[in-house]
């Protein structure tokens, strides 16, 4: 049986048929009638005059209009009303055969009755259930448009105002109330919540008295589907479980079915209830005699519902026949009331199952239309003419769907004609199981009064063809009695029902021919004479007297006369819900409050990436990822992002989303602004809940029984350093059960920041649960997100800019500025900066037309934003209704310059927060408590403080105050050190002379801002803008030399030099002798040749600093940080590394001239302890758990065990037939496992060397084998792309994992045993769940095969090594990359130290690199400018700019004086392959590139690029002549082509396909004038061509592979760099022998002459630049010598160029991604090359560093510095510890 919701019109639906009586235009009404095949009626329309009455909640509600009959839509929700109160237009009645007498008692068709009470205000408390039902019904009605016909839909499309007609029966108060509710979603949800909570209370109540049943039935039709079904289910269950028949519960159950909301019932509901009633009816003889009547009545109404909805699932054998038998068995009853209900039920049963209901049958016979939407639901109007015609046709029907045979009619008629008693007639009603027309007529009558068609009901009573049937009369009398007794009807209507009963009794000869019918009528009237309504009671008593009946002697009706539950006299369920002081109700109030307080504004969903260093192609929706986290098993999610990235806005959006979706008893969202909590390290949730006014008992209960979704905002702002998950004992037994989403600024994080957030173990025997932690880094806005934000922002703007009194910009104007102002689109990728930019741009741009000349920085945006904010708020205050005192204060502020005071108010507040409030950005102020503290000056509720606060960027939430954003606090504090109003005359805006504020030294020393990177960043930008500020900071540093007696001077100097370094100020050759800068952050600083003698550098951070040739003699260096460890230098490549378990020893496997051996080192001193050789190539090694033995494997298939103490071999294990790739000890040390190229894994006894198992199953070489930490499992991986688990007891294979990443090269178990990591030949890494074998994250980044892999001891990190020359660190919990280390050649192995502090890696460069993990994690936060290998460099003709191109095809422009990036005038296409860069003669960057297999040459002029050359064939090498006339190229086939740029059609091939000898053309070079072109070949041949004539002018040969060439300035000499490290200088005027320059040790990659021709600079693969000088001895024989070798590069030097304007300056580009500008100075024979500026120098460089007499350096630090090039003899023996 399939349970499908009925497609029923519920209380708030209407049918097409129900439109028949709407007040519509004639044409529309005709369309409706055509659809239903109804004819027009001639009946005159009569307006209803009954007025709706509103009653208070304390009195029974008054109702308007007639009621419904056998349905309790009955409440009747507003949705149950007829759409209009106009009576129907009726179909003409069939012509009567004879004139019939009709008494018109009901004169009007009226709207169905509506219960109304007083409407509460939106935030008022609902006191009674009637009020709740009324409000719920209004909301349903307001949200559910009436059904419309096709014609109406067409008309609505033409006139949308027609849709408002669904509200035509609502008065103004109701419409106003609905409008208010539409604005208040929380209030609407509160009403829904109350109903749902009442259902919960009803379900929990075991007794369920009549008042509670009445309450819940009243709510039935207005509940949502889920809540209704919950109510129905619990009601059915309660009825089934009741021992004695609960009549009230029975009636309530049936009425709930009758009023079911749309689509809320399924067939199983009705069938189940029917079966329960059948069983009860079958057993009813055991209980009260009244029970069969109530059960039969309930059964009748249930069958009516089932018939209306065409239930098909009633089994004839199981249900239909037994029920028919029970009903037939009641024909022997002496109770006429029971007999009638049984007969009615029997007739209803004939329509279940059936294809149409009785009412549909009537309409089909009357109209010929079967309309499945027509149901007895009180929401439509019946055409009486069609009804009477249908009833007449039914009388005449023979068979058919209605199945009524003529002999049945005869039988019924004979009963009437013979005058037999009604009981006999009832008995006949059961004969043959036939359908009877009287039942259909009664259903019509019920539908008429349910729809309010009382006038039509009146006519039906007198004109129904079966009106002589006593059963019809009985049913009509019951309907009239129910109308008269129902308080939902107006008193007039109830009196008219009694009058109609009286008229039928007294004046209708056909009515009551059977005396029992008249007795039934008298009993009904007698019952009505006892009702509480005095008017109804009076007319009933009068009628009894008129009928000569004695009221006291009249037989009373033994059963209540009602068709619906009475309205509840009180509201115990609602009162119980409202009185609930438990958690759920208070949570509901909190939910409403938070939803109401939420102000979304302009919000764009954030994108994020897995970690800070993840590539941009890993972006995902942050909201989706966190919702996924909340649904999973992890406990902590860290949201990282820069200041202004949108973290706080996102957190509020997340809270709003979670509260919207909140389900009762579900996880509770709790937003906590951490800075507002005192000591959030403990009792965090308790403190927040107390603030939200939860009681102690509630808090205790939630702690024990509820789960929270904690949203912790502002970890950095609260200045926390601890793990609040650990200190609050979250998710521990008996503690708070939480999921934590916590946000923190990236700049706040330090070393190993994850330890502050990852769930920590409860004791030292457990490991950190890294798999319970997740993080994401908020990504910068994309251009599409910026566009979306701008579009939404513009919609919120007024039409006119209040500041400039001009129309506000359009979205297109904003985007034009953002895109075309250089660098601005990148700057505003930060959401907060985007907000500032949009607000400030109109002022910044003003009347400027050339956008390319505008330069906007972050701090400029803040300046403009603050100015505009204060201007807008000043105007707002001027227009506000202020008190006289406030007006006077405001006038004084404006007169004295409001902008000045507004800025200084916020500067002073920022200072107070940092100094007096420990930097906590949230300040709590209550006037009575804090009026005598520093806070009063800023938060006093009166005076100037109030005016300035209200106009400032400070916001208030209750008693808490804070800046709009943390960055504004930092911005205003930075202005206490540098304020543009004090420096920039244009920014002063006419301010008067004022008393100067604190001097710079005081401001700098007030607070050590080294730990406030955002403040430093603001000030660093000021340095770049204002040379005088820069000089003042330099003076502060200088001041520390002479005056070092106070901490004030030291702090000022420390702050000043930190700002200068972060601003990119270089200190090359600077005199810093004696400076006192303890604790300064000089990381990444440039100090080439700097003099630090005698300086106080205590605690200074020198990580990644450039200290070449610096002198630190006598400096204090205690606690200085270099961020690196010294490496181990060996004689040849390192093949394997392994730490001993105690971490005291590191063993290294090396290859020395074909001999393979092992060396061990003491890790405290890093001195070699012993070494020994191996007979064959050693491939792998491992220590025993006790560190006393080491096992080796290698070529030849041997496995050897050595004793560490003696260095002697213990024994050899033989069995493998090919190379052993991996060996490992079991955790207990008793076994050794080895894997081999022979496709096997072997397990050995480590004490005897005996082979225990040979594990076979791999189908290719087995590359790695590992034991699990418990020792219970062995895992192997191999070239067959599988990972296999082995049973160590049986030697059988278990789980086999197939890897999609291909060949498995190496494996590792996490220390906690949860994960397996596999490294693969194609560079990928894969994590696997160690227990289930399910695949986890894939780690991508290596470009070569993975050679080694290891977990950190706490399982938090993974380190891997590869043939791609890199070591990579990964987050084990997320699979995200942390850092890439690339100081090796090919790396063969990598391991963690047992304490997790260090990583050791060995490779082809003959070194074991020792990496400090903390330094790696620290450097992961800072990223360099990714420009790739710098292959080419060139100066602009004016010398101001440098153009570079990287191997990532990134073209960059730099300022040659500062080394800072300069935006290109226009953009290049993304799909390009850059071949060369240069400048035009007028300094415009020119780029040659391949695109779509064609060579293109563009000038990147402002606005859009100018195309010079398009559509040529693809080229591999391109160069342009200095005169900009010629361009030459080499293609894939070594053809040299020359273009004349004066006419790009002039193309000439100088050398086709390498010439006759098919040479490999390697390079090209133009002479300075462009008159010569040199073509070089790998054979050593060089040809010179004349571009003008295209002829060959000369050829030379150097018999050495030509790599690069350069002409001397006079064009008389050609310098040639070769692949074999030599440089040849060829004279072009004679055939004399070339000059040979020998110095480089590897290939020469670049070479260039100085403009004067006296110097040559060359760069090489040997990572050096050599400077050569021309020397002319008296013999005039030209010679050249190397006068300086510039070291400090970390890869080959690829590009070099001399400045055309600054003598002795040149720039280099290197594969280490650096661009460096050098200046050469010469004092006679002494030549010094000093660094002038550079970019991407983020590697520690100490070549030539002098350290004599330094204090505080450790031996390890000294060793590191010596390795980096520090002068050895600068360290004394005493300093060396020797």
């Amino acid at each position: 049986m399939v349970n499908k919701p009925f497609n029923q019109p519920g209380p708030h639906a209407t049918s097409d048929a129900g439109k028949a009586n709407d007040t519509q235009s004639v044409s529309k009404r005709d369309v409706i009638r055509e659809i239903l095949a109804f004819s027009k009626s001639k009946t005159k329309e009569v307006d209803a005059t009954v007025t709706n009455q509103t009653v208070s909640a304390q009195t029974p509600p008054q109702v308007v209009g007639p009621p419904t009959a056998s349905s309790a839509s009955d409440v009747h929700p507003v949705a149950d009303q007829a759409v209009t109160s106009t009576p129907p237009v009726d179909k003409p009645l069939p012509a009567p055969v004879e004139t019939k007498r009709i008494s018109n008692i009901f004169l009007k068709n009226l709207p169905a009755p509506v219960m109304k009470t007083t409407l509460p205000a939106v935030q008022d408390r609902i006191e009674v259930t009637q009020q709740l039902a009324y409000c719920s019904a209004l909301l349903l009605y307001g949200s559910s448009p009436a059904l419309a016909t096709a014609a109406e839909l067409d008309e609505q499309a033409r006139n949308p105002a027609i849709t408002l007609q669904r509200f035509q029966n609502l008065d103004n108060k109701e419409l106003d109330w609905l409008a208010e509710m539409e604005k208040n979603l929380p209030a609407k949800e509160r009403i829904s919540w109350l109903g749902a909570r009442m259902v919960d209370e009803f379900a929990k109540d075991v007794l369920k008295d009549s008042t509670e049943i009445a309450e819940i039935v009243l709510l039935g039709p207005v509940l949502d589907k889920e809540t209704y079904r919950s109510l129905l289910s619990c009601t059915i269950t309660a009825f089934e479980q009741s021992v004695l028949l609960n009549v009230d519960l029975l009636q309530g159950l049936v009425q709930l079915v009758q009023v079911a909301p749309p689509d809320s019932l399924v067939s199983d509901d009705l069938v189940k209830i029917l079966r329960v009633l059948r069983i009860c009816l079958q057993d009813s003889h055991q209980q009260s005699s009244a029970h069969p009547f109530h059960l039969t009545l309930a059964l009748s109404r249930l069958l009516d519902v089932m018939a209306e909805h065409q239930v098909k699932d009633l089994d004839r054998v199981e249900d239909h026949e037994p029920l028919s038998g029970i009903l037939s068995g009641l024909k022997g009853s002496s109770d006429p009331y029971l007999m009638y209900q049984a007969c009615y039920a029997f007739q209803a049963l004939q329509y279940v199952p059936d294809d149409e209901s009785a009412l549909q049958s009537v309409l089909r016979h009357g109209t010929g239309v079967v309309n499945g939407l027509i149901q007895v639901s009180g929401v439509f109007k019946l055409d009486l003419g069609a009804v009477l015609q249908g009833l007449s046709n039914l009388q005449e029907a023979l068979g058919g769907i209605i199945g009524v045979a003529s002999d049945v009619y005869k039988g019924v008629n004979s009963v009437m004609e013979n005058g037999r008693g009604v009981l006999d007639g009832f008995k006949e009603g059961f004969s043959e199981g036939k359908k009877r027309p009287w039942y259909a007529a009664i259903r019509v009558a019920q539908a008429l009064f349910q729809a309010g068609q009382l006038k039509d009901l009146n006519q039906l009573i007198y004109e129904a063809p079966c009106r002589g049937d006593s059963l019809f009369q009985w049913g009509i009398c019951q309907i009239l009695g129910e109308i008269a007794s129902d308080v939902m009807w107006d008193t007039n209507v109830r009196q008219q029902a009694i009058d109609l009963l009286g008229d039928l009794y007294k004046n209708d000869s056909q009515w009551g021919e059977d005396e029992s019918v008249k007795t039934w009528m008298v009993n009904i009237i007698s019952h009505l004479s006892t009702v509480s309504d005095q008017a109804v009671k009076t007319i009933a008593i009068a009628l009894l007297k008129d009928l000569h009946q004695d009221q006291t002697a009249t037989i009373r009706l033994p059963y209540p006369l009602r068709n619906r539950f009475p309205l509840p006299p009180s509201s115990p369920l609602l009162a119980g819900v409202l009185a609930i002081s438990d958690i759920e109700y208070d949570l509901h109030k909190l939910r409403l409050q938070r939803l109401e307080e939420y102000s979304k504004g302009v919000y764009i969903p954030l994108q994020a990436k897995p970690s800070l260093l993840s590539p941009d192609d890993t972006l995902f929706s942050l909201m989706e990822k966190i919702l996924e986290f909340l649904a999973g098993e992890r406990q902590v999610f860290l949201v990282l992002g820069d200041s202004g990235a949108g973290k706080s806005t996102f957190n509020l959006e997340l809270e709003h989303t979670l509260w919207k979706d909140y389900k009762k008893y579900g996880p509770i969202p709790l937003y906590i602004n951490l800075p507002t909590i005192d000591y959030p390290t403990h009792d965090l949730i308790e403190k927040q809940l107390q603030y939200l006014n939860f009681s102690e008992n509630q808090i205790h209960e939630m702690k024990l029984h509820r789960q929270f979704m904690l949203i912790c905002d502002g970890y950095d702002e609260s200045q926390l350093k601890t793990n609040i998950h650990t200190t609050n004992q979250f998710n521990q037994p008996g503690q708070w059960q939480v999921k934590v989403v916590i946000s923190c600024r990236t700049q706040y994080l330090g070393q190993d920041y994850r330890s502050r957030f990852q769930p920590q173990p409860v004791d030292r025997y457990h490991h950190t649960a890294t798999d319970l932690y997740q993080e994401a880094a908020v990504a910068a806005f994309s251009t599409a997100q910026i566009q979306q934000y701008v579009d939404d922002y513009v919609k919120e703007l007024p039409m006119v800019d209040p500041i400039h009194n001009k129309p506000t910009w359009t979205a297109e104007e904003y985007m034009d500025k953002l895109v075309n102002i250089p660098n601005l689109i990148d700057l505003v990728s930060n959401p907060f900066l985007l907000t500032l930019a949009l607000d400030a741009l109109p002022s910044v741009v003003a009347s400027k037309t050339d956008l390319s000349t505008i330069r906007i920085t972050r701090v400029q945006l803040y300046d403009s934003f603050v100015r505009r904010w204060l201007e807008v708020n000043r105007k707002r205050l001027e227009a506000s209704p202020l008190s006289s005192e406030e007006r006077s204060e405001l006038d004084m502020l404006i007169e004295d310059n409001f902008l000045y005071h507004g800025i200084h108010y916020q500067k002073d507040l920022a200072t107070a927060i940092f100094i007096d409030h420990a930097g906590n950005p949230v300040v709590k102020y209550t006037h009575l408590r804090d009026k005598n503290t520093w806070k009063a000056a800023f938060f006093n509720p009166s005076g100037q403080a109030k005016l300035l606060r209200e106009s400032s960027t400070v916001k208030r939430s209750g008693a808490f105050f804070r800046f709009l954003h943390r960055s504004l606090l930092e911005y205003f504090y930075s202005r206490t050190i540098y304020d543009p109003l004090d420096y920039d005359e244009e920014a002063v805006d006419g301010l008067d002379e004022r008393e100067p504020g604190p001097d710079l030294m005081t401001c700098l020393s007030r607070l050590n801002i080294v730990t406030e990177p955002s403040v430093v960043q603001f000030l660093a930008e000021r340095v770049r803008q204002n040379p005088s500020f820069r000089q003042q900071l330099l003076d502060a540093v200088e001041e520390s030399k002479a005056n070092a007696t106070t901490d004030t001077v030291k702090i000022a100097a420390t702050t000043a030099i930190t700002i200068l370094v972060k601003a990119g100020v270089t200190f090359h050759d600077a005199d810093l002798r004696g400076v006192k800068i303890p604790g300064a952050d000089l990381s990444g600083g440039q100090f080439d040749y700097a003099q630090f003698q005698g300086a106080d550098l205590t605690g200074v951070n020198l990580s990644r600093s450039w200290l070449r040739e610096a002198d630190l003699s006598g400096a204090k260096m205690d606690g200085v940080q270099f961020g690196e460890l010294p490496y181990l230098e060996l004689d040849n490549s390192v093949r394997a590394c392994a730490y001993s378990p105690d971490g005291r020893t590191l063993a290294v496997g090396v290859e020395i001239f074909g001999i393979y051996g092992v060396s061990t080192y003491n890790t405290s001193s890093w001195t070699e302890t012993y070494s020994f050789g191996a007979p064959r190539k050693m491939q792998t090694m491992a220590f025993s758990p006790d560190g006393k033995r080491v096992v080796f494997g290698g070529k030849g298939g041997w496995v050897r065990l050595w004793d560490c103490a003696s260095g002697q071999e213990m024994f050899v294990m033989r069995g493998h037939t090919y190379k052993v790739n991996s060996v490992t000890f079991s955790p207990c040390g008793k076994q050794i496992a080895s894997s081999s190229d022979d496709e096997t894994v072997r397990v050995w006894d480590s004490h005897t060397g005996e082979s225990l198992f040979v594990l076979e199953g791999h189908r290719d070489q087995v590359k790695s084998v590992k034991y699990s930490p418990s020792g219970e499992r062995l895992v192997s991986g191999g070239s067959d792309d599988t990972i296999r688990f082995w049973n160590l007891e049986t030697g059988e294979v278990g789980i086999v994992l197939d890897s999609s990443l291909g060949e498995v090269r190496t494996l590792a178990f996490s220390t906690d045993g949860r994960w397996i990591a596999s490294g693969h030949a194609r560079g990928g890494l894969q994590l696997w769940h160690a227990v289930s074998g399910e695949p986890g994250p894939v780690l991508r980044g290596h470009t070569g095969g993975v050679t080694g892999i290891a977990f950190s001891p706490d399982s938090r990190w993974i380190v891997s090594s590869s043939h791609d020359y890199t070591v990579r660190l990964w987050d084990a919990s997320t699979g995200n990359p942390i850092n890439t280390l690339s100081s090796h050649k090919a790396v063969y192995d990598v391991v963690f130290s047992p304490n997790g502090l260090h990583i050791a890696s060995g490779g082809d460069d003959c070194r074991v690199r020792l990496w400090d993990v903390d330094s790696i994690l620290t450097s992961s936060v800072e990223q360099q400018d990714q420009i790739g290998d710098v292959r080419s460099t060139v100066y602009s003709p004016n010398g101001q700019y440098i153009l570079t191109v990287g191997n990532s095809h990134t073209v960059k422009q730099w300022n040659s004086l500062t080394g800072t990036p300069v935006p290109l005038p226009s953009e290049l296409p993304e799909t390009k392959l850059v071949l060369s860069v240069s400048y035009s003669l007028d300094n415009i960057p020119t780029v040659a590139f391949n695109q779509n297999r064609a060579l293109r040459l563009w000038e990147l002029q402002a606005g859009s690029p100018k195309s010079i050359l398009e559509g040529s064939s693809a080229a591999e090498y391109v160069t342009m002549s200095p005169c900009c006339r010629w361009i030459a190229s080499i293609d894939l086939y070594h053809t040299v082509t020359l273009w004349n740029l004066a006419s790009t059609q002039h193309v000439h091939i100088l050398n086709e396909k390498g010439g006759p000898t098919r040479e490999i053309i390697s390079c090209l070079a133009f002479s300075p004038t462009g008159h010569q072109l040199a073509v070089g070949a790998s054979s050593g041949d060089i040809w010179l061509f004349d571009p003008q004539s295209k002829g060959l002018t000369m050829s030379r040969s150097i018999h050495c592979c030509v790599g690069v060439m350069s002409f001397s300035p006079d064009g008389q000499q050609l310098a040639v760099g070769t692949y074999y490290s030599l440089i040849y200088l060829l004279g072009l005027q004679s055939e004399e022998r070339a000059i040979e320059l020998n110095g480089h040790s590897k290939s020469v990659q670049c070479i260039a002459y100085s403009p004067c021709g006296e110097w040559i600079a060359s760069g090489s693969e040997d990572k050096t630049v050599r400077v050569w000088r021309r020397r002319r001895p008296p013999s005039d024989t030209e010679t050249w010598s190397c006068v300086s070798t510039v070291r400090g590069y970390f890869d080959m030097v690829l590009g070099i160029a001399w400045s055309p304007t600054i003598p002795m300056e040149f720039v280099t580009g290197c594969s280490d991604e650096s661009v460096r500008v050098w200046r050469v100075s010469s004092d006679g024979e002494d030549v010094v090359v000093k660094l002038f500026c550079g970019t991407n120098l983020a590697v520690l460089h100490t070549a030539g560093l002098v350290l004599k007499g330094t204090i505080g350096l450790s031996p390890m630090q000294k060793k590191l510095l010596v390795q980096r090039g520090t002068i050895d003899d600068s360290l004394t023996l005493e300093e060396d510890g020797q």
Side-chain angles (χ1 to χ4, degrees), residues 630-643:
L630 292 173
E633 298 298 322
R634 296 185 177 184
Q635 296 180 7
V636 178
F637 195 111
L638 173 63
V639 178
L640 295 168
D642 293 335
S643 177

Side-chain angles (χ1 to χ4, degrees), residues 168-219:
Q168 60 187 321
N169 286 336
L170 302 186
D171 59 31
N172 289 335
K173 287 184 178 179
E174 291 167 329
L175 290 172
D176 291 344
W177 185 84
L178 275 176
E180 286 299 315
M181 293 299 287
E182 285 301 318
K183 301 174 185 176
N184 196 317
L185 177 62
K188 290 175 66 176
E189 293 188 349
R190 172 173 170 267
I191 290 175
S192 175
W193 181 88
L194 283 173
R197 195 71 175 91
M198 286 177 67
V199 171
D200 291 339
E201 291 299 305
F202 180 74
K204 290 190 292 184
D205 188 358
V206 178
L207 297 179
K208 296 181 173 50
D209 63 27
S210 60
T211 302
E212 292 176 341
I213 296 171
E215 278 189 278
I216 214 68
V217 167
L218 194 61
L219 290 176

Side-chain angles (χ1 to χ4, degrees), residues 609-664:
K609 52 187 180 179
S611 70
L612 294 167
L613 293 182
S614 297
D616 290 339
D617 59 2
T618 60
L619 294 183
F620 49 75
S621 164
L622 181 58
M623 181 65 74
E624 291 179 5
K625 184 64 69 174
I626 288 187
L627 293 178
E628 177 185 314
F629 156 79
L630 292 173
E633 298 298 322
R634 296 185 177 184
Q635 296 180 7
V636 178
F637 195 111
L638 173 63
V639 178
L640 295 168
D642 293 335
S643 177
K647 301 182 297 298
S648 295
T649 304
F650 171 80
N651 285 337
L652 291 172
E653 177 71 14
L654 173 62
E655 183 208 19
H656 183 70
T657 299
L658 295 177
W659 272 127
K660 282 198 305 182
D661 297 339
Y662 174 74
K663 303 295 184 184
K664 53 183 179 291

Side-chain angles (χ1 to χ4, degrees), residues 568-724:
S570 59
S571 303
L573 283 178
L574 179 60
V577 171
L578 294 174
I580 290 174
S581 60
D582 71 351
I583 298 161
E584 201 58 45
Y585 183 66
D586 286 338
L587 284 174
H588 173 67
K589 292 193 295 184
L590 174 62
R591 176 176 180 268
L592 296 178
Q593 174 189 333
R594 294 301 294 167
L595 290 175
E596 183 178 6
E597 290 174 350
Y598 178 72
S599 176
K600 186 170 184 177
V602 179
Y603 174 76
I604 304 300
L606 294 181
Q607 296 288 301
K609 52 187 180 179
S611 70
L612 294 167
L613 293 182
S614 297
D616 290 339
D617 59 2
T618 60
L619 294 183
F620 49 75
S621 164
L622 181 58
M623 181 65 74
E624 291 179 5
K625 184 64 69 174
I626 288 187
L627 293 178
E628 177 185 314
F629 156 79
L630 292 173
E633 298 298 322
R634 296 185 177 184
Q635 296 180 7
V636 178
F637 195 111
L638 173 63
V639 178
L640 295 168
D642 293 335
S643 177
K647 301 182 297 298
S648 295
T649 304
F650 171 80
N651 285 337
L652 291 172
E653 177 71 14
L654 173 62
E655 183 208 19
H656 183 70
T657 299
L658 295 177
W659 272 127
K660 282 198 305 182
D661 297 339
Y662 174 74
K663 303 295 184 184
K664 53 183 179 291
Y665 310 122
I668 302 168
L670 188 63
Y671 173 86
I672 301 179
N673 187 4
L674 288 174
T676 65
I677 304 294
D678 293 331
Y679 308 109
T681 52
H682 295 89
D683 303 324
L684 174 62
I685 298 180
E686 288 94 331
K687 291 171 182 174
Q688 183 68 14
L689 292 177
Q690 288 169 357
Y691 172 74
L692 296 172
N693 297 317
F694 284 89
S695 68
E696 292 298 326
N697 289 336
Q698 290 176 318
I699 293 173
H700 179 70
E701 183 178 345
M702 284 190 281
K703 185 174 184 178
L704 295 180
H705 303 295
R706 301 301 296 273
Q707 185 182 54
F708 279 79
M709 296 180 289
L710 211 58
I711 305 169
C712 297
D713 190 37
Y715 179 89
D716 51 299
E717 294 183 3
S718 64
Q719 299 184 323
L720 287 167
K721 300 289 184 181
T722 55
N723 189 321
I724 61 173

Side-chain angles (χ1 to χ4, degrees), residues 27-108:
S27 60
K28 186 183 298 185
R29 185 166 58 245
D30 290 345
V31 171
I32 297 171
R33 290 188 172 279
E34 280 182 16
I35 292 174
L36 296 178
F38 290 169
S39 60
K40 299 180 182 179
S41 173
K42 298 178 182 178
T43 306
K44 202 169 188 179
E45 296 184 355
V46 182
D47 292 335
T49 58
V50 181
T51 305
N52 292 345
Q53 301 175 30
T54 302
V55 297
S56 70
Q58 286 73 27
T59 61
Q62 299 294 317
V63 291
V64 179
T68 55
S70 60
S71 172
S73 46
D74 310 333
V75 170
H76 235 276
V78 177
D80 284 358
Q81 296 183 75
V83 179
T84 177
S85 59
T86 307
V89 179
D90 303 317
K91 180 176 179 178
L93 302 179
V97 177
E98 57 180 325
T99 303
K100 296 182 180 178
R101 175 197 164 278
I102 299 179
S103 296
N104 293 318
I105 307 299
F106 290 131
L107 299 177
K108 304 165 185 173

